Amino acid sequence: MASPAIGASGADALPDYAPVPRSALGPVLNEQGYHVGRVERNLYWVTDGTYQAAFLTTPDGVVLFDAPPTIGHNLQRAVDEIAAANGVSNQVTHLVYSHHHDDHAGAASLFDTGVVRIGHEETRRLLLRDNDPARPAPEVTFQDRYTLEVAGERAELAWHGPNHSPDNIFIHFPDHDALMLIDIVNAGWVPIYNLNLSEDVPGYIQAPATALSYPWTHFIGGHLGRLGTRDDISLHQQYVADIQAGAREALGAVDPTPYFQKYGENVWAGVRGYLDAVTDAAAKPVIAKYTGVLAAADVEVFTTTTTFMILQSMRLDLGPSAPLHP
């Protein structure tokens, strides 16, 4: 435990940030620390203010979509609350994984009796690799598309290529006017570090356009305290487009020569100085533009690391990464 003096000093050193726009915030949590609400008809969503999951109630049981450990046992409490209010079963019979990451699946083992687990074939491979008892691998898998039907209710699962992770899928509820796509768009907020810690930059950038190609009104993005809208997706796209435009401009404007002259034989120091300068030049105007528009836009490290990832993808995935030596 830190001494009071050290703790006070640390608190004094913490930075201040712009107020969170009220539009970015969701409903107040209950005494147990969650909120559960209706999306459409018998499709519900649950949040702890940081993570989100969803579930469908049916005459034959409940279909759960993701199991974030931060929500944990509150998932069943949310299901119990809705089931009691509507006079339906509270038994979770199916669990769909959006992808393999623990922060969205780490409470999966709480539902361990007679549950059918469903996910992309890559999700199964990765979960078997990780060998985490908290995340049992799905028994039912698919490659490109899978229609899940339970007691007349339907969810369309689709894999459109890697994005945030190699296995992250689109979950469409055509009868409930909703789409679930995790870790791509944080409704009302900027992405955190490195495009929400995404592994495939071109896939991540393409994913919002793919999402908008589906018909839906309600968006379940997996994070923070409210549902999203189509306007949230469009605003996210504009944020990314501004980063791309700034990166292109900075790549043409920042001269690498001074950095390599300064550090001489220490080539990596020159690389760092140059890339940091390009990233900073591209990110600063975006941070200024979106502060007060998207929550946490002024947490500079988020936009800066996201800009760095996009900048490197432009160089390495799209090319050219450097002038061709004669």
Side-chain angles (χ1 to χ4, degrees):
M1 176 181 291
S3 70
I6 294 173
S9 174
D12 290 342
L14 292 175
D16 295 317
Y17 295 110
V20 172
R22 297 298 91 184
S23 60
L25 299 177
V28 175
L29 306 181
N30 64 18
E31 291 181 356
Q32 287 76 38
Y34 71 89
H35 167 82
V36 60
R38 190 191 304 272
V39 180
E40 283 274 341
R41 299 195 301 105
N42 57 326
L43 175 64
Y44 297 86
W45 71 295
V46 56
T47 182
D48 62 358
T50 304
Y51 281 85
Q52 300 174 359
F55 61 91
L56 272 170
T57 61
T58 82
D60 294 346
V62 174
V63 184
L64 179 64
F65 298 85
D66 274 358
T70 65
I71 305 178
H73 289 278
N74 278 338
L75 290 166
Q76 187 63 61
R77 294 186 183 102
V79 168
D80 292 346
E81 177 183 334
I82 296 302
N86 296 325
V88 296
S89 171
N90 69 342
Q91 179 67 40
V92 174
T93 59
H94 295 74
L95 172 58
V96 175
Y97 293 103
S98 65
H99 63 304
H100 72 287
H101 285 164
D102 182 86
D103 63 331
H104 292 276
S109 63
L110 297 180
F111 308 92
D112 60 355
T113 304
V115 174
V116 178
R117 302 174 192 277
I118 303 158
H120 189 261
E121 61 184 16
E122 184 70 357
T123 300
R124 176 175 172 80
R125 186 189 73 81
L126 290 166
L127 289 178
L128 290 174
R129 176 202 68 181
D130 295 343
N131 193 28
D132 179 3
R135 294 173 288 156
E139 304 92 355
V140 178
T141 64
F142 65 97
Q143 185 174 55
D144 295 319
R145 294 183 183 274
Y146 181 82
T147 299
L148 174 61
E149 294 186 271
V150 178
E153 301 297 341
R154 179 168 56 119
E156 299 287 349
L157 316 182
W159 182 76
H160 294 287
N163 46 69
H164 167 68
S165 67
D167 57 326
N168 199 30
I169 63 171
F170 293 69
I171 304 170
H172 185 220
F173 303 94
D175 303 321
H176 299 82
D177 201 17
L179 181 76
M180 185 172 182
L181 174 62
I182 304 303
D183 282 336
I184 301 295
V185 176
N186 304 330
W189 297 70
V190 297
I192 64 163
Y193 304 92
N194 302 336
L195 299 98
N196 281 339
L197 306 177
S198 293
E199 299 179 46
D200 189 292
V201 175
Y204 174 93
I205 292 174
Q206 173 59 36
T210 303
L212 288 174
S213 72
Y214 284 84
W216 55 268
T217 299
H218 313 289
F219 180 76
I220 304 165
H223 281 287
L224 302 161
R226 70 167 174 86
L227 295 176
T229 67
R230 299 182 79 87
D231 286 343
D232 287 317
I233 308 296
S234 297
L235 181 58
H236 169 90
Q237 288 179 303
Q238 186 59 58
Y239 169 84
V240 171
D242 286 343
I243 291 175
Q244 290 174 302
R248 281 190 290 269
E249 182 177 348
L251 280 169
V254 177
D255 181 6
T257 306
Y259 303 98
F260 292 98
Q261 288 179 334
K262 164 71 176 176
Y263 295 110
E265 292 179 344
N266 193 344
V267 176
W268 270 178
V271 168
R272 184 214 165 161
Y274 169 61
L275 292 180
D276 282 357
V278 174
T279 301
D280 189 58
K284 276 190 173 179
V286 178
I287 292 168
K289 177 177 178 178
Y290 287 92
T291 296
V293 177
L294 288 172
D298 62 325
V299 182
E300 294 188 2
V301 68
F302 291 164
T303 295
T304 300
T305 58
T306 286
T307 300
F308 180 82
M309 291 289 287
I310 290 174
L311 172 71
Q312 297 314 309
S313 177
M314 291 170 63
R315 293 177 59 249
L316 304 178
D317 295 321
L318 305 179
S321 61
L324 185 66
H325 191 280

